[in-house]
Amino acid sequence: MLYDVFISHASEDKDAFVRPLAGRLREAHIEVRSDEFSLNVGEGLRRSIDRGLAQAGFGSGVSSPHFFAKQWSQWELDGLVARQNGAERDLILPVWHNVSRREVLAYSPPLADKVATLSSEGLDAVVGKLTRVIRPQGSSLIEAREYLIEEGWTNPPVISDDWWLDMAALSS
């Protein structure tokens, strides 16, 4: 499965911010890779994270004091940076949660250089800013997915160039 966005976060931030953020993004028909939505019983955590990092169109790190202290979030951020270094477009979408630019700069100067959205601006603002990057207006792929949703598909696939190639291969 291809995800629109992988949300990297510390578990301490889940209840107050990450869960509502992921829920709102899903309401906007954005396919979110988050542990609550993507893990199945018996599945290995590291392999699931690796798949999510590899298969997401974007990665959003919810930077917070808890995020900076965790090994898992550092592992995930390392994976996003590795993908970013080989990408032709920006794929890291930083969200700063209860941290200042100075704190982000002390943790990772390159991360502090990226324009971030701030949780202090409110959930609507964060969702709006992420959605504008993840789902830019006018994309034919996005319009096709929205059409499937309007036609009653309850769980339409994330439509990407790969999805269209798979469909073409199946029809030939």
Side-chain angles (χ1 to χ4, degrees):
M1 176 177 205
L2 181 70
Y3 301 97
D4 291 316
V5 65
F6 178 99
I7 299 179
S8 176
H9 65 282
S11 58
E12 292 86 350
D13 299 320
K14 185 181 304 267
D15 288 339
F17 183 72
V18 176
R19 187 177 290 125
L21 172 63
R24 290 283 303 281
L25 289 170
R26 288 181 64 164
E27 288 171 8
H29 307 295
I30 291 174
E31 196 67 36
V32 176
R33 193 300 179 181
S34 180
D35 53 358
E36 288 187 341
F37 306 129
S38 307
L39 285 175
N40 297 311
V41 172
E43 193 170 17
L45 183 59
R46 191 211 36 94
R47 287 183 183 170
S48 175
I49 288 171
D50 285 351
R51 271 193 318 276
L53 286 168
Q55 295 175 349
F58 293 93
S60 182
V62 179
S63 298
S64 72
H66 300 295
F67 181 90
F68 295 154
K70 297 276 188 166
Q71 289 297 319
W72 275 116
S73 54
Q74 291 178 34
W75 173 266
E76 292 169 354
L77 183 58
D78 289 346
L80 291 173
V81 168
R83 283 203 49 216
Q84 177 67 64
N85 288 338
E88 294 181 14
R89 64 172 171 82
D90 291 332
L91 62 87
I92 297 175
L93 308 176
V95 177
W96 294 358
H97 180 59
N98 298 329
V99 290
S100 67
R101 185 181 191 294
R102 183 176 52 81
E103 291 168 297
V104 176
L105 186 61
Y107 176 75
S108 172
L111 187 59
D113 182 57
K114 292 196 155 291
V115 173
T117 183
L118 311 176
S119 66
S120 60
E121 296 174 319
L123 193 55
D124 288 340
V126 173
V127 169
K129 289 177 180 181
L130 292 176
T131 301
R132 278 191 293 281
V133 175
I134 296 167
R135 293 274 189 229
Q137 294 297 318
S139 167
S140 59
L141 298 176
I142 293 162
E143 289 174 13
R145 185 164 193 262
E146 293 299 320
Y147 174 77
L148 292 175
I149 291 167
E150 289 171 11
E151 291 298 309
W153 286 44
T154 57
N155 191 16
V158 175
I159 300 173
S160 65
D161 291 338
D162 290 338
W163 186 87
W164 287 115
L165 291 172
D166 291 344
M167 293 299 102
L170 287 173
S171 66
S172 55

